[in-house]
Amino acid sequence: MPKELACKNCKAITIGKVCPVCHSTDLSSDWTGIIIVFNPEKSQIAQTLEIKTAHKYALKVS
Amino acid sequence: MKSKKIQNDFDDMMDYDNKNNKGESDLNLDTSKNIDSDILDNKNNQKKYTNSDIDTEEKANQLRSTNNSRSSDSKFFAIRITGGQENIVANVIQNKINSKKIDLYSVLILEHFKGYVIVEAPDSNIAYEALYGIRHVRGQIRGDLPFSDIEKYLVKKPVVTELNIDDTVEVIAGPFKSMKAKITRVDYEKQEVTVLLLDSPYQIPVTVDANYLKKTP
């Protein structure tokens, strides 16, 4: 399985070299926690974390 | 004859002047009317603006209320799975929901809850439908979790953004755990903070991860 990296800017998890959400290249392999948002408009967690795009995110990126 | 001509010329000139004056006065009147109408328009605009403001406020309140009602729709269910298989289960759920139209809102995996996946759905049936047939799923805990229990595990902002130089902090993890320290340098990009330990006899600058620090009042 390819190594998943988390964007330091928006915390989106990707296997590529560019963040698919914010197009940043500042990625980190040191992340913990996962949140997969399917419906950002109705999800209470997405509203709390101010997530507006359905994607897989890390909870903590360092 | 000459005097009559002169008189006529003079009368013509007077008429011309009068006409001009009338014209000017008409123009002035027009401009004053225009100004008045402008003022009225402005007042009307102000009234409209205030009305629109009220409308937007009402709409915002409605949106807030709908958001609250929406957020109250979502429920959180803890699903028991095989320990260490959280990532695999999350990926399988993601693939399943992308292929089938299941109205699941989100899936949460916390490092503090090993062997559990938290699912956000409007109903327990939908959560069950999303997890049915997935390998490593052991069962579902009865009832739903309150959002307040989950909220404290959601990291809203990086800790480093709240830290400043000369702040007193407490180290909450690592070899210097439970020691108090004073910040001397903050690296916002690397999320590292250099601190002076207050409890140690020698004030040695130590660079630690910003997540290991907690701001003390």
Side-chain angles (χ1 to χ4, degrees), chain A residues 1 11 32-39 42-45 47-49 56 59 61-62, chain B residues 71 74 76 87 90-91 97 104-111 120 147 155-156 191 211:
Chain A
M1 193 174 172
K11 296 182 183 177
T32 53
I34 297 172
I35 172 162
I36 307 170
V37 178
F38 302 108
N39 194 337
K42 289 184 180 176
S43 169
Q44 204 169 350
I45 294 173
Q47 283 172 13
T48 310
L49 297 173
K56 185 178 178 181
L59 275 180
V61 183
S62 50
Chain B
S71 59
S74 61
F76 299 92
N87 286 352
N91 287 332
I97 286 167
L104 204 71
Y105 295 160
S106 66
V107 174
L108 183 68
I109 296 167
L110 300 169
E111 58 175 335
E120 185 183 6
F147 182 65
V155 185
K156 290 173 195 170
Q191 296 193 4
N211 296 312

Side-chain angles (χ1 to χ4, degrees), chain B residues 17 25 39 52 63 65 69 71 77 82 86 89 127 143 170 187 208 216:
Chain B
D17 281 342
S25 63
I39 291 163
S52 64
L63 273 172
S65 62
S69 64
S71 59
F77 304 98
T82 312
E86 293 90 355
V89 171
E170 187 185 341
D187 190 337
V208 292
T216 53

